[in-house]
Amino acid sequence: MAKDVFVRDLELLIRARHALIFVDTDDKDRAESLLKSLAETLRLPYFSWTRTKGLRDIVRQVPDPDTLSAAAALRQIEQTTRPGIYNFRGLGSDLDDRVLATQLRDTATPFMRQDGAIIVSGDEFVTPSLLRSLVTTVKLPAPSEREYRDLVQHIYRDLSERMHVELRLTKKELNQLVANLRGLTMLEAEKILTKTMVEDNQLGPNDIRRVIDAKKQILEREGVLEYYPVEETLSDIAGLNGLKRWLAKRRAIIAEPQRAAEFGLSFPKGILLVGVQGAGKSLCAKAVAMDWGLPLLKMDPAGLYNKYIGESEKNFARATAVAEKMAPVVLWIDEIEKAFASGGSTDGGVSVRVLGTFLSWLQERKGDVFVIATANNIDRLPPELVRKGRFDEIFFVDLPSAEVRRDIFAIHLKKRNRAPQDVDLDALAAASDGFSGAEIEQAVVSALYTAFADGAPLTTELLSAELAQTKPLSVTMRESIDTLRTWARERTVSAN
């Protein structure tokens, strides 16, 4: 497991007398647990420092008020010269203080000649130039599926000793539960699982939704990503057969990543969907996540930008870090042109800088993140974004054909408990020439309102009347759609 590799690498660094190690993690409790275990393996004493309790050893765990400041704790370590592993939790953000950074360097240097090391753990690091030659940075990998699974069993066994608890999950449901724990720290996952078991004395199928809702709240605290429970499937989308065939070929890579890697294939980067509004681009993002069995995160372009210099780039970095932590995952960026619009000179160059950060991340991202970006306005798409290689493919989503419109009517009628055979689907498909899928859905909904108000059944005539009253985008925006089709002809692959 990745955790075992991390511990082994850290052990090698300490044995090789790397005196100062930064552990990059947002799960400081998990890092401390692993460091304690490593200290036992190395037969070294373990000490932990926090701002509220000072420097404590693993045996007594007694707060030391004399070492509440990092400077005092470092002085004590330097004076005692005792071998050990000293973990300073959350100190990284304070290292812009040159005096403190110098003291950290002086305290760590003797560990180049003795057993142990000074560890700084956390997710905010300022590494001053005077420490760069001494520091080794390692990243704690996200918890594995095995760790989450073990946590479920551990909590179940622990609670069962104190109260009656039933584990009522099938193997498939347990897999779903574990998949939805991805991206949470072990402490967050433990709190959510414990709460769900205590509330109704069981862990059952209904608790999967509770986990999803709790996770959604945690992720959305950051304000840059939304967690979407996926419900649509590719069968809910009529047409788009070209896109469906492309996705089907890559589904096996998601299901068997190790075999794919041995075969020479890497995790797919993503796709850009360009097309007419309401043609099903956003629905595709949700359906792909369901079809591939992956979590779906949505990045809101409007949530990225901040009036303070540098904050927008930080927001984007936070969003991509969350996505990588949850990997494998589908990241949906709706109307991407709003986030990275070309010609954005009025924003002081912020959009240009964020675009540069995004393009670099697309090339260099470490996690298995499949990006689905959608765009309606090609005039605002930066040329750098549509260059070959940024995405695996750029698809053009056009208005549906008559056959596909017929299927769209059937899908939306079934969703609303209506039998498609009760209406003339061929006549409706002919009457809806130039309509998008979204416009067809609205016609069905409007006809249902009329039928309900009149106390009458839903008929072909009612649906046709609603279509006749609607001016579709293909009429009101004919010039824009023609321009879009001309642009897409030489630059994209048809999704239809």
Side-chain angles (χ1 to χ4, degrees), residues 399-449:
L399 292 170
S401 65
E403 181 183 357
V404 174
R405 292 197 300 275
R406 188 183 189 281
D407 293 340
I408 292 172
F409 272 106
I411 287 171
H412 288 299
L413 287 169
K414 286 178 183 176
K415 277 186 176 180
R416 291 159 180 85
N417 302 316
R418 293 295 186 280
Q421 61 268 26
D422 290 347
V423 298
D424 188 342
L425 293 177
D426 290 327
L428 293 172
S432 59
D433 185 26
F435 279 63
S436 69
E439 289 167 336
I440 290 173
E441 181 181 12
Q442 285 308 306
V444 172
V445 172
S446 296
L448 280 169
Y449 273 114

Side-chain angles (χ1 to χ4, degrees), residues 5-25:
V5 173
F6 166 81
V7 172
R8 186 178 67 244
D9 289 347
L10 197 58
E11 180 180 350
L12 289 173
L13 289 173
I14 294 173
R15 288 186 185 279
R17 301 288 170 83
H18 285 248
L20 181 58
I21 301 171
F22 284 179
V23 176
D24 184 2
T25 179

Side-chain angles (χ1 to χ4, degrees), residues 234 237 240 243 247 273 280-289 372:
L234 288 178
I237 306 175
L240 301 182
L243 174 60
L247 292 168
L273 300 177
K281 300 185 298 297
S282 298
L283 185 61
C284 281
K286 301 174 186 177
V288 170
I372 299 183

Side-chain angles (χ1 to χ4, degrees), residues 8-187:
R8 186 178 67 244
D9 289 347
L10 197 58
E11 180 180 350
L12 289 173
L13 289 173
I14 294 173
R15 288 186 185 279
R17 301 288 170 83
H18 285 248
L20 181 58
I21 301 171
F22 284 179
V23 176
D24 184 2
T25 179
D26 62 350
D27 195 345
K28 293 186 278 290
D29 290 320
R30 178 166 170 252
E32 176 145 276
S33 177
L34 294 174
L35 289 170
K36 285 180 182 178
S37 177
L38 178 58
E40 290 178 13
T41 300
L42 295 173
R43 297 183 179 179
L44 288 171
Y46 177 81
F47 299 85
S48 177
W49 176 87
T50 64
R51 289 180 175 83
T52 57
K53 296 181 179 178
L55 194 65
R56 298 174 297 157
D57 66 68
I58 192 174
V59 178
R60 293 189 302 126
Q61 287 289 307
V62 178
D64 185 351
D66 294 333
T67 60
L68 290 180
S69 76
L74 289 170
R75 277 196 300 274
Q76 185 178 110
I77 295 169
E78 195 170 8
Q79 290 168 2
T80 59
T81 65
R82 183 183 179 186
I85 293 178
Y86 298 85
N87 178 23
F88 283 76
R89 297 176 48 150
L91 181 63
S93 58
D94 296 340
L95 295 181
D96 54 353
D97 180 340
R98 189 172 179 82
V99 174
L100 182 62
T102 302
Q103 188 177 3
L104 178 61
R105 182 196 62 188
D106 294 344
T107 305
T109 299
F111 287 93
M112 298 175 68
R113 301 180 297 274
Q114 69 182 46
D115 293 336
I118 292 183
I119 310 288
V120 178
S121 60
D123 56 353
E124 293 184 12
F125 289 109
V126 176
T127 308
S129 56
L130 61 89
L131 289 178
R132 284 175 191 156
S133 61
L134 186 63
V135 168
T136 302
T137 301
V138 293
K139 186 174 181 63
L140 177 62
S144 65
E145 180 180 311
R146 175 66 179 275
E147 286 180 87
Y148 286 129
R149 199 177 294 273
D150 289 345
L151 178 65
V152 173
Q153 296 292 340
H154 170 75
I155 295 172
Y156 169 68
R157 286 195 303 268
D158 184 55
L159 288 177
S160 295
E161 293 178 359
R162 295 181 280 127
M163 57 187 287
H164 175 69
V165 181
E166 292 184 55
L167 193 59
R168 300 178 58 192
L169 292 171
T170 64
K171 184 176 181 181
K172 182 179 179 181
E173 289 165 344
L174 179 59
N175 290 339
Q176 280 184 278
L177 178 75
V178 169
N180 281 293
L181 291 172
R182 286 179 186 145
L184 297 177
T185 67
M186 294 297 280
L187 182 59

Side-chain angles (χ1 to χ4, degrees), residues 132-432:
R132 284 175 191 156
S133 61
L134 186 63
V135 168
T136 302
T137 301
V138 293
K139 186 174 181 63
L140 177 62
S144 65
E145 180 180 311
R146 175 66 179 275
E147 286 180 87
Y148 286 129
R149 199 177 294 273
D150 289 345
L151 178 65
V152 173
Q153 296 292 340
H154 170 75
I155 295 172
Y156 169 68
R157 286 195 303 268
D158 184 55
L159 288 177
S160 295
E161 293 178 359
R162 295 181 280 127
M163 57 187 287
H164 175 69
V165 181
E166 292 184 55
L167 193 59
R168 300 178 58 192
L169 292 171
T170 64
K171 184 176 181 181
K172 182 179 179 181
E173 289 165 344
L174 179 59
N175 290 339
Q176 280 184 278
L177 178 75
V178 169
N180 281 293
L181 291 172
R182 286 179 186 145
L184 297 177
T185 67
M186 294 297 280
L187 182 59
E188 289 169 340
E190 182 179 359
K191 287 180 178 178
I192 293 170
L193 290 169
T194 302
K195 185 173 183 288
T196 57
M197 290 190 208
V198 168
E199 282 181 342
D200 56 5
N201 297 94
Q202 66 171 323
L203 187 64
N206 292 336
D207 292 321
I208 297 174
R209 173 59 61 181
R210 292 186 180 185
V211 168
I212 289 172
D213 291 340
K215 181 180 182 179
K216 186 173 184 285
Q217 292 176 10
I218 290 171
L219 290 179
E220 290 181 356
R221 276 190 224 140
E222 293 288 328
V224 289
L225 287 181
E226 296 177 66
Y227 185 83
Y228 267 70
V230 289
E231 297 170 352
E232 290 84 357
T233 67
L234 288 178
S235 61
D236 294 322
I237 306 175
L240 301 182
N241 292 326
L243 174 60
K244 288 177 179 178
R245 285 192 296 271
W246 189 93
L247 292 168
K249 290 179 181 178
R250 285 151 182 81
R251 188 187 301 121
I253 297 176
I254 312 301
E256 300 180 87
Q258 186 172 348
R259 188 171 74 87
E262 292 170 354
F263 198 75
L265 294 171
S266 58
F267 192 88
K269 294 179 182 177
I271 53 177
L272 174 61
L273 300 177
V274 179
V276 182
Q277 293 182 35
K281 300 185 298 297
S282 298
L283 185 61
C284 281
K286 301 174 186 177
V288 170
M290 173 62 83
D291 192 57
W292 286 2
L294 298 179
L296 176 65
L297 301 180
K298 182 182 178 183
M299 180 189 291
D300 177 15
L304 288 175
Y305 291 93
N306 190 291
K307 64 181 178 180
Y308 298 108
I309 295 174
E311 285 302 309
S312 299
E313 295 91 324
K314 288 181 181 178
N315 286 343
F316 181 79
R318 287 199 345 260
T320 53
V322 170
E324 287 185 350
K325 186 173 70 170
M326 287 189 65
V329 69
V330 175
L331 178 63
W332 170 28
I333 308 176
D334 200 22
E335 298 186 354
I336 194 172
E337 68 270 27
K338 292 183 178 179
F340 311 121
S342 59
S345 58
T346 57
D347 64 5
V350 173
S351 60
V352 174
R353 294 196 300 274
V354 174
L355 173 62
T357 304
F358 176 67
L359 295 178
S360 298
W361 177 75
L362 278 179
Q363 296 293 126
E364 301 169 6
R365 62 183 183 273
K366 298 177 178 66
D368 292 339
V369 181
F370 185 79
V371 178
I372 299 183
T374 67
N376 297 321
N377 192 341
I378 55 167
D379 295 331
R380 299 182 66 194
L381 279 177
E384 308 97 305
L385 194 62
V386 296
R387 183 172 65 78
K388 286 290 184 182
R390 300 299 189 194
F391 295 91
D392 292 319
E393 196 58 84
I394 302 175
F395 286 96
F396 176 61
V397 184
D398 206 344
L399 292 170
S401 65
E403 181 183 357
V404 174
R405 292 197 300 275
R406 188 183 189 281
D407 293 340
I408 292 172
F409 272 106
I411 287 171
H412 288 299
L413 287 169
K414 286 178 183 176
K415 277 186 176 180
R416 291 159 180 85
N417 302 316
R418 293 295 186 280
Q421 61 268 26
D422 290 347
V423 298
D424 188 342
L425 293 177
D426 290 327
L428 293 172
S432 59

